[in-house]
Protein backbone atom coordinates (compact mmCIF):
# COMPACT_ATOMS: atom_id res chain seq x y z
CA UNK A 1 0.00 0.00 0.00
CA UNK A 2 2.99 2.30 0.32
CA UNK A 3 3.00 2.66 -3.46
CA UNK A 4 -0.45 4.27 -3.55
CA UNK A 5 0.40 6.68 -0.75
CA UNK A 6 3.56 7.75 -2.56
CA UNK A 7 1.74 8.10 -5.86
CA UNK A 8 -0.89 10.46 -4.45
CA UNK A 9 1.41 12.36 -2.11
CA UNK A 10 3.69 13.67 -4.85
CA UNK A 11 3.27 17.28 -5.93
CA UNK A 12 1.27 17.93 -9.08
CA UNK A 13 3.16 18.57 -12.29
CA UNK A 14 3.77 22.09 -13.51
CA UNK A 15 0.71 21.75 -15.76
CA UNK A 16 -1.39 23.77 -13.30
CA UNK A 17 1.03 26.70 -13.40
CA UNK A 18 1.17 26.56 -17.21
CA UNK A 19 -2.66 26.57 -17.28
CA UNK A 20 -2.78 29.72 -15.13
CA UNK A 21 -0.15 31.40 -17.31
CA UNK A 22 -2.01 30.52 -20.50
CA UNK A 23 -5.28 31.81 -19.06
CA UNK A 24 -3.61 35.08 -18.05
CA UNK A 25 -2.20 35.43 -21.56
CA UNK A 26 -5.63 34.93 -23.12
CA UNK A 27 -7.24 37.46 -20.77
CA UNK A 28 -4.56 40.05 -21.58
CA UNK A 29 -5.34 40.00 -25.30
CA UNK A 30 -7.27 42.92 -26.75
CA UNK A 31 -10.68 42.47 -28.36
CA UNK A 32 -9.12 43.07 -31.78
CA UNK A 33 -6.57 40.29 -31.21
CA UNK A 34 -9.33 37.92 -30.14
CA UNK A 35 -11.38 38.78 -33.23
CA UNK A 36 -8.36 38.20 -35.49
CA UNK A 37 -7.89 34.63 -34.32
CA UNK A 38 -11.60 33.97 -33.83
CA UNK A 39 -11.88 33.07 -30.15
CA UNK A 40 -14.39 34.18 -27.56
CA UNK A 41 -13.92 34.51 -23.79
CA UNK A 42 -16.07 31.41 -23.26
CA UNK A 43 -13.38 29.40 -25.08
CA UNK A 44 -10.56 30.55 -22.78
CA UNK A 45 -10.59 27.63 -20.30
CA UNK A 46 -10.58 25.04 -23.08
CA UNK A 47 -7.80 26.78 -25.00
CA UNK A 48 -5.74 27.26 -21.82
CA UNK A 49 -6.05 23.54 -21.02
CA UNK A 50 -4.84 22.67 -24.52
CA UNK A 51 -1.93 25.09 -24.21
CA UNK A 52 -0.87 23.70 -20.81
CA UNK A 53 -0.70 20.12 -22.04
CA UNK A 54 1.62 20.94 -24.92
Amino acid sequence: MGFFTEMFARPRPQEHQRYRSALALLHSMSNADRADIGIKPADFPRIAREMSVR
Side-chain angles (χ1 to χ4, degrees), residues 1-45:
M1 288 306 234
F3 171 75
F4 289 112
T5 303
E6 182 180 333
M7 185 172 77
F8 292 114
R10 291 187 180 172
R12 298 187 72 185
Q14 295 299 321
E15 195 172 296
H16 180 69
Q17 182 60 33
R18 288 194 306 253
Y19 172 78
R20 291 177 58 97
S21 299
L23 201 56
L25 174 74
L26 290 169
H27 279 288
S28 69
M29 294 171 66
S30 69
N31 288 337
D33 291 337
R34 293 177 194 156
D36 283 344
I37 59 176
I39 62 170
K40 296 182 174 138
D43 298 329
F44 287 1

